[in-house]
């Protein structure tokens, strides 16, 4: 229970903003619902990015509805995906000297458009290699809370791809993982690479580089396909496992996002997979890697009890906190949650991971098996210690406070408060200000 917002879900009658159907929220205080329920944008946590707001019981006039529809239409991208695909075809026919990319508009330019962008910064001589790695060409939308684009370090991306190939998957539904998609696409354009990927992402800039069979403009907070029924069908087809090509979904959502909204969308994607299934797999779930920080473990398990958290630390390129430092390793809090059998997820021994035969899974080098808990208990990679009073293992920096009757930080104010942070559970700040999420 905490002060903040509670998500009540997506109602079938929900009004829409430019990002698809809005979600229903209610303010909470001390864990209790308080005040009127309202609809707000599903995708944007920053009101500056989308200020859609409507009380649940609000009467909206015909005029306002019409104005809203017009607004939503005018806030769609200037080119359609189809147009972007055609533009790309023309672009690759151009000689290198005429291939320009406008950095301000984040757009490939055709010569007839140069004039319009004449006072914008642009890149020249865009090579085929650059076109194959759009995540390097495009500016990561990291400042906007909404997109929070944190790109995999090459090492982590390569590890994920090798892992899923070794597990026998030949199709990857890449939900918010443009860099993994790009790695698969560029290998597939070379020879003898039997893996295919479909990217679902809200970042429409990617439609400049991929066809409708390779990219769907998608909102993972409300399961909205911007391309309508056709895009839905593309996804459905992709999930249909022809000739034994097994599918896995890999997702790396923005961490500030609402876990319940994500879980609800992922369940819908799982249901799509199930509907396309042939007989004999009645109780199976679509295999999935959900990449997310370890402190969300209990939240994710609430929604997906079949999941477990792997010790592998996912590293990022443009993330000061989460990548390897020059000297030694900075610990990344980001992990892989999966519904596959943990013992099958082989982690690299050259990075210190080892197999625990009792737990039947790979663990980080610092993660000691606790004889009392009978499990490898560390979540953050450091060696944790067992507290007999709490009857569990805790972080090495914690001590048992007799006042609070639990283990906690040395520095803490000795009073029970249940208004802790939604993310890390600690008191003194709200989820938005959580230091465990800070990404400077
Ligand atoms: N590590 C990944 C990128 C993760 S960053 C990689 O390297 O491939 C989060 C991704 O989710 C970004 O690509 C961002 O555009 C996308 N995203 C953010 N909000 C989204 C939403 N509401 N729906 C779908 N995708 C979203
Ligand atoms: Zn919106
Ligand atoms: Zn223990
Ligand atoms: Zn204790
Ligand atoms: Zn916190």
């Amino acid at each position: 229970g905490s002060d903040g917002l509670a998500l009540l879900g997506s109602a079938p009658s929900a009004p829409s903003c430019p990002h698809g159907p809005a979600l229903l929220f209610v303010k909470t205080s001390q864990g209790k619902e308080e005040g009127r329920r309202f609809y707000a944008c599903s995708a944007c946590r920053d009101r500056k990015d989308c200020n859609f707001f409507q009380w649940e019981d609000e009467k909206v006039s015909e005029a306002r509805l019409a104005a809203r529809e017009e607004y939503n239409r005018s806030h769609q991208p200037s080119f359609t995906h189809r147009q972007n695909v055609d533009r790309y075809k023309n672009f690759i026919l151009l000689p290198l000297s005429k291939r320009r990319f406008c950095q301000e508009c984040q757009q490939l330019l055709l010569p007839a458009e140069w004039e319009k962008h004449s006072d914008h910064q642009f890149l020249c001589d865009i090579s085929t290699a650059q076109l194959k790695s759009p995540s390097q060409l495009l500016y990561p939308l990291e400042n906007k809370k909404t997109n929070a684009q944190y790109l995999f370090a090459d090492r982590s991306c390569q590890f994920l791809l090798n892992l899923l190939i070794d597990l026998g998957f030949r199709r990857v539904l890449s939900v918010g993982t443009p860099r993994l998609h790009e790695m698969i696409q560029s290998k597939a354009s070379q020879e003898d690479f039997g893996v295919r990927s479909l990217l679902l992402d809200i970042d429409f800039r990617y439609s400049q580089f991929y066809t409708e069979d390779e990219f769907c403009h998608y909102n993972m907070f409300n399961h909205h396909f911007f391309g309508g029924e056709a895009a839905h069908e593309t996804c459905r087809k992709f999930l249909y496992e022809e000739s034994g090509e097994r599918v896995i979904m890999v997702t790396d959502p923005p961490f500030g996002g609402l876990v319940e909204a994500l879980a609800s969308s992922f369940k819908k994607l799982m249901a799509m997979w199930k509907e396309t299934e042939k007989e004999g797999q009645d109780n199976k779930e679509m295999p999935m890697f959900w990449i997310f920080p370890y402190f969300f473990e209990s939240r994710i398990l609430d929604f997906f009890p079949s999941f477990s958290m792997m010790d592998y630390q996912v590293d990022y390129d443009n993330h000061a906190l989460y990548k390897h430092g020059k000297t030694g390793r900075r610990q990344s809090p980001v992990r892989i949650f999966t519904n596959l059998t943990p013992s099958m997820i082989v982690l690299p021994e050259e990075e210190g991971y080892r197999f625990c035969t009792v737990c039947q899974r790979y663990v980080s080098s610092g993660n000691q098996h606790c004889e009392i808990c009978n499990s490898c208990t560390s979540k953050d990679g450091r060696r944790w210690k067992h507290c007999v009073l709490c009857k569990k293992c805790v972080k090495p920096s914690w001590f048992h406070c007799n006042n609070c009757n639990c283990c906690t930080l040395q520095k803490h104010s000795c009073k029970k408060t249940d208004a802790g942070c939604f993310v890390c559970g600690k008191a003194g700040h709200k989820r938005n200000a959580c230091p465990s999420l800070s990404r400077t």
Side-chain angles (χ1 to χ4, degrees):
S2 64
D3 289 353
L5 288 181
L7 173 68
L8 298 167
S10 51
S13 58
S16 284
C17 70
H19 306 93
L23 298 178
L24 190 58
F25 294 91
V26 68
K27 283 221 165 66
T28 58
S29 165
Q30 258 104 56
K32 278 202 279 290
E33 288 188 19
E34 219 160 65
R36 267 164 104 185
R37 299 169 165 205
F38 62 92
Y39 290 103
C41 177
S42 58
C44 306
R45 271 145 296 125
D46 196 332
R47 289 285 290 261
K48 272 183 272 155
D49 293 330
C50 180
N51 63 4
F52 183 87
F53 182 92
Q54 185 192 310
W55 295 114
E56 184 189 25
D57 54 8
E58 191 176 339
K59 275 266 165 287
V60 184
S61 70
E62 287 295 325
R64 233 182 97 201
L65 279 178
R68 185 184 283 166
E69 245 171 63
E70 180 47 37
Y71 177 88
N72 289 351
R73 248 197 311 278
S74 69
H75 278 72
Q76 294 311 318
S78 48
F79 291 114
T80 64
H81 193 168
R82 188 89 287 261
Q83 286 171 321
N84 274 338
V85 172
D86 289 337
R87 292 167 56 80
Y88 183 85
K89 281 187 196 149
N90 291 326
F91 191 87
I92 51 173
L93 295 176
L94 297 170
L96 212 54
S97 62
K98 291 195 169 167
R99 292 192 190 173
R100 289 189 184 174
F101 175 76
C102 177
Q103 289 180 300
E104 251 164 274
C105 305
Q106 292 284 292
Q107 193 188 312
L108 298 172
L109 297 182
L110 298 171
E113 297 158 345
W114 289 1
E115 185 73 49
K116 256 197 306 188
H117 299 259
S118 57
D119 52 356
H120 293 174
Q121 297 254 21
F122 58 84
L123 296 173
C124 306
D125 299 347
I126 303 298
S127 67
T128 308
Q130 281 174 296
L131 292 173
K132 278 187 187 163
S133 31
S135 78
Q136 314 266 3
L137 192 61
L138 299 167
Y139 183 79
L141 304 170
E142 58 184 304
N143 298 326
K144 291 182 137 193
K145 274 192 197 167
T146 304
N147 290 71
Q149 274 174 339
Y150 296 99
L151 300 167
F152 294 134
D154 201 53
R155 208 175 46 90
S156 281
C157 201
Q158 195 68 63
F159 163 74
L160 282 169
L161 181 52
N162 290 340
L163 175 62
L164 54 90
I165 291 172
D166 290 346
L167 289 166
F169 294 103
R170 290 297 170 267
R171 283 201 220 173
V172 184
L173 184 67
S174 298
V175 183
T177 55
R179 191 157 268 184
L180 178 64
H181 176 72
E182 161 182 316
M183 190 176 264
I184 296 172
Q185 291 291 114
S186 86
K187 292 198 184 200
S189 68
Q190 295 147 27
E191 275 161 273
D192 268 358
F193 188 72
V195 184
R196 288 204 291 133
S197 171
L198 172 66
L199 176 65
L200 307 187
D201 203 289
I202 203 163
D203 187 350
F204 193 66
R205 296 176 305 171
Y206 283 100
S207 71
Q208 299 179 86
F209 305 91
Y210 301 122
T211 65
E212 290 102 325
D213 286 332
E214 298 165 331
F215 170 76
C216 295
H217 190 201
Y218 174 78
N219 181 350
M220 63 167 110
F221 289 111
N222 58 3
H223 188 59
H224 179 66
F225 285 86
F226 294 85
E229 188 43 45
H232 231 106
E233 190 52 33
T234 300
C235 183
R236 210 174 281 129
K237 267 210 195 114
F238 186 83
L239 294 177
Y240 181 76
E241 300 179 329
E242 265 167 317
S243 51
E245 288 189 343
R246 294 173 58 221
V247 179
I248 184 167
M249 172 177 149
V250 181
T251 185
D252 186 13
F255 307 149
L258 296 153
V259 177
E260 50 272 66
L262 292 170
S264 147
S265 297
F266 299 162
K267 286 192 174 176
K268 286 173 187 157
L269 288 169
M270 283 174 152
M272 268 172 96
W273 174 84
K274 218 171 168 57
E275 280 161 22
T276 67
E277 243 185 317
K278 296 170 194 159
E279 71 282 356
Q281 303 198 310
D282 298 338
N283 299 315
K284 278 216 185 140
E285 265 177 5
M286 171 166 69
M288 184 158 133
F289 288 163
W290 178 347
I291 295 162
F292 226 49
Y294 69 82
F295 32 83
F296 282 101
E297 182 183 24
S298 65
R299 300 282 297 144
I300 291 182
L301 298 194
D302 282 347
F303 294 102
F304 293 106
S306 65
F307 279 38
S308 36
M309 186 175 87
M310 303 295 99
D311 268 22
Y312 184 78
Q313 303 194 0
V314 180
D315 285 315
Y316 294 84
D317 255 2
N318 57 339
H319 206 304
L321 277 177
Y322 297 177
K323 70 180 172 198
H324 277 274
K326 282 231 165 56
T327 55
R329 181 173 194 148
R330 275 207 153 130
Q331 307 264 12
S332 160
V334 184
R335 302 288 182 269
I336 302 168
F337 293 85
T338 184
N339 50 0
L340 296 173
T341 311
S343 62
M344 295 183 353
I345 312 296
V346 178
L347 304 186
E349 278 170 24
E350 58 287 5
E351 286 176 45
Y353 299 100
R354 66 186 162 78
F355 191 71
C356 173
T357 46
V358 185
C359 298
Q360 282 293 302
R361 65 177 181 101
Y362 280 82
V363 295
S364 20
S365 54
N367 196 353
Q368 283 268 333
H369 190 85
C370 169
E371 298 298 336
I372 307 163
C373 297
N374 195 29
S375 133
C376 289
T377 44
S378 170
K379 303 290 181 196
D380 60 11
R382 294 178 298 170
R383 183 178 179 168
W384 284 24
K385 58 180 187 191
H386 191 87
C387 170
V388 279
L389 295 168
C390 291
K391 296 193 178 67
K392 64 176 185 188
C393 283
V394 297
K395 289 185 177 174
S397 52
W398 286 14
F399 87 120
H400 192 88
C401 169
N402 288 318
N403 242 340
C404 299
N405 201 24
C406 67
C407 279
T408 181
L409 281 170
Q410 200 89 38
K411 252 199 216 153
H412 71 285
S413 49
C414 271
K415 55 174 186 261
K416 281 253 169 196
T417 158
D418 53 14
C421 165
F422 180 78
V423 171
C424 69
K426 288 173 201 152
H429 64 269
K430 289 280 169 56
R431 129 153 102 208
N432 292 345
C434 182
S436 62
L437 290 180
S438 73
R439 300 157 131 166
T440 42

